[in-house]
Amino acid sequence: MLPTSIIARKRDGYELTADEIRFIVQGIVDDSIPDYQLSAWAMAVLCRGMSVAEIATLTDCMLSSGRRLRRSTERLRVDKHSTGGLGDKVSLILAPLLACVGLDVPMLSGRGLGITGGTLDKLEAYPGFRCNLDETEIERQLQNIGCVITGTTEHIAPADRKLYLLRDVTATVPSIGLITGSIMSKKLAANLDALVLDVKFGSGAFMQEFEDAQRLMKSLVETGQRMGLTTRAVLSDMNQPLGRMVGNACEANEAVIVLQGGGPSDVRTLTLRLGAELCLAVGLHDSLEESQAALARHLDSGEAFERFQQMIACQGGLFQAQLPLAPGAEVAAPTSGWISSVDGQLLGHAVIEMGGGRQRKDSAIDHSVGLEMLVRIGDSVEAGQPLCRIFAHNETDRGLASAMISQALQISSQPVEPLSLLPAAEFNKFP
Ligand code: URA
């Protein structure tokens, strides 16, 4: 049992001591604290927040609740974490790309969360792909090809797995302190030399408000640095999907095009920027420009594409240059004007409704359904022009998705400025 006084002190806004936080995490691991007490504590944390010291202790205790990956190569080890956004397929491109410049990338990823698709779900669009490698298999794959994308193992931050399930059903996920502990304990367990965080804001992101994203970025970076991990962060705009494709096979296909040197410029730009931050962080190059140019060469030469195919094969997947998609149908513009806003939540739900995401934790996913955005904010459109292509299997899903997409895309009678993916440097910093 958790002494009620600890929950009450958090409820009243006091900072918990390191011993109290240690006691809570120990109680999560050994099941000695009942869920109803943990839920009350998590709600108190959500409402009252956590200090920097509390977050660092929580992260440290969650990290220590499990094991760290071993290191069996001489190479520097890096990773990227995104807070999740619609159409975000950067991990699929970045892991093999960084391996091409001689870095090891043990990417421990997750499944879809809310409207944002999960990297593991996207990779499982390749028949046979395994996302449940154990620590020995992770290490072997790093030795062989320098990159791996798999789920966290049962030994990595086990306290997080239990706490996260509880947070999910008690509406306590959006606590900056709990998110920080959850993400950073898993990243620290990967035994990295540097981490870059892609913190997203906007209608298609987990943090919809820019200021909340800035606060989350600050908490993640400060906690990483405090725990001795070189941590950098980039804020990126998610007021419209990243790239054109949304959905599992759709996004894998688009990632493959970027890996071959093509694809939408926003996906390429963000991938190169995040990769360059890591190259700089570990001292591989002297400037962002130099790093970006070096990484771009590996995309354009097809080397990163080859490494991606090796990764799919190593993990048991059957690579196909373009995975099959459900039949396509277009949604047309009801009026002429300029695309003024895109409701990412609605678009994400449209994909979930078609079976491309999970309605329940144990739902199966249909990898072949999704969307292709044919316009971006600021584009001028004529009435009747196709705005979006839906990949769906039946008329009911197509009708439902079409109605949601029509509602999600607003058209203004006045010209609208396009959005910039990366906010100006002065905003890309702590509040
Ligand atoms: N992703 C995580 O791993 N944990 C959170 O708490 C939120 C997003």
Side-chain angles (χ1 to χ4, degrees), residues 307-376:
R307 195 68 66 110
F308 177 73
Q309 292 175 73
Q310 287 169 358
M311 182 177 78
I312 300 294
C314 281
Q315 294 183 230
L318 180 67
F319 178 75
Q320 288 158 272
Q322 290 293 288
L323 291 158
L325 303 179
E330 284 165 357
V331 180
T335 54
S336 300
W338 286 263
I339 302 292
S340 56
S341 69
V342 176
D343 184 332
Q345 301 292 316
L346 264 178
L347 289 185
H349 282 297
V351 175
I352 294 174
E353 287 293 335
M354 292 191 286
R358 291 185 182 79
Q359 308 259 21
R360 296 163 32 133
K361 268 196 196 12
D362 49 0
S363 310
I365 281 194
D366 183 343
H367 293 100
S368 66
V369 301
L371 310 174
E372 180 177 5
M373 300 296 296
L374 304 173
V375 290
R376 296 187 69 74

Side-chain angles (χ1 to χ4, degrees), residues 331-332 334 346-347 387 401-410:
V331 180
L346 264 178
L347 289 185
L387 301 178
S402 170
M404 292 171 88
I405 291 161
S406 302
Q407 204 187 328
L409 300 181
Q410 296 296 310

Side-chain angles (χ1 to χ4, degrees), residues 384-422:
Q385 177 183 330
L387 301 178
C388 179
R389 190 168 293 124
I390 300 172
F391 300 99
H393 283 293
N394 59 58
E395 218 31 69
T396 313
D397 285 353
R398 231 180 324 274
L400 189 63
S402 170
M404 292 171 88
I405 291 161
S406 302
Q407 204 187 328
L409 300 181
Q410 296 296 310
I411 299 177
S412 156
S413 56
Q414 302 299 317
V416 174
E417 280 297 309
L419 297 178
S420 74
L421 173 67
L422 303 170

Side-chain angles (χ1 to χ4, degrees), residues 292-305:
Q292 281 170 324
L295 291 168
R297 281 195 292 277
H298 290 286
L299 284 181
D300 298 335
S301 68
E303 257 181 279
F305 179 42

Side-chain angles (χ1 to χ4, degrees), residues 268-307:
R268 181 175 161 109
T269 301
L270 186 58
T271 306
L272 292 176
R273 172 62 189 272
L274 293 165
E277 293 282 352
L278 285 169
C279 292
L280 273 191
V282 295
L284 229 51
H285 305 115
D286 293 327
S287 71
L288 271 181
E289 293 70 27
E290 193 190 332
S291 282
Q292 281 170 324
L295 291 168
R297 281 195 292 277
H298 290 286
L299 284 181
D300 298 335
S301 68
E303 257 181 279
F305 179 42
E306 207 170 296
R307 195 68 66 110

Side-chain angles (χ1 to χ4, degrees), residues 81-84 110 113 160 164 167 172-176 178-184 186 206 216:
H81 179 85
S82 152
T83 58
L113 189 69
D160 175 61
Y164 193 86
R167 288 166 58 207
T172 51
V173 169
S175 148
I176 285 189
L178 296 179
I179 296 173
T180 303
S182 169
I183 292 175
M184 295 308 289
K186 288 175 288 197
F206 187 49
L216 178 59

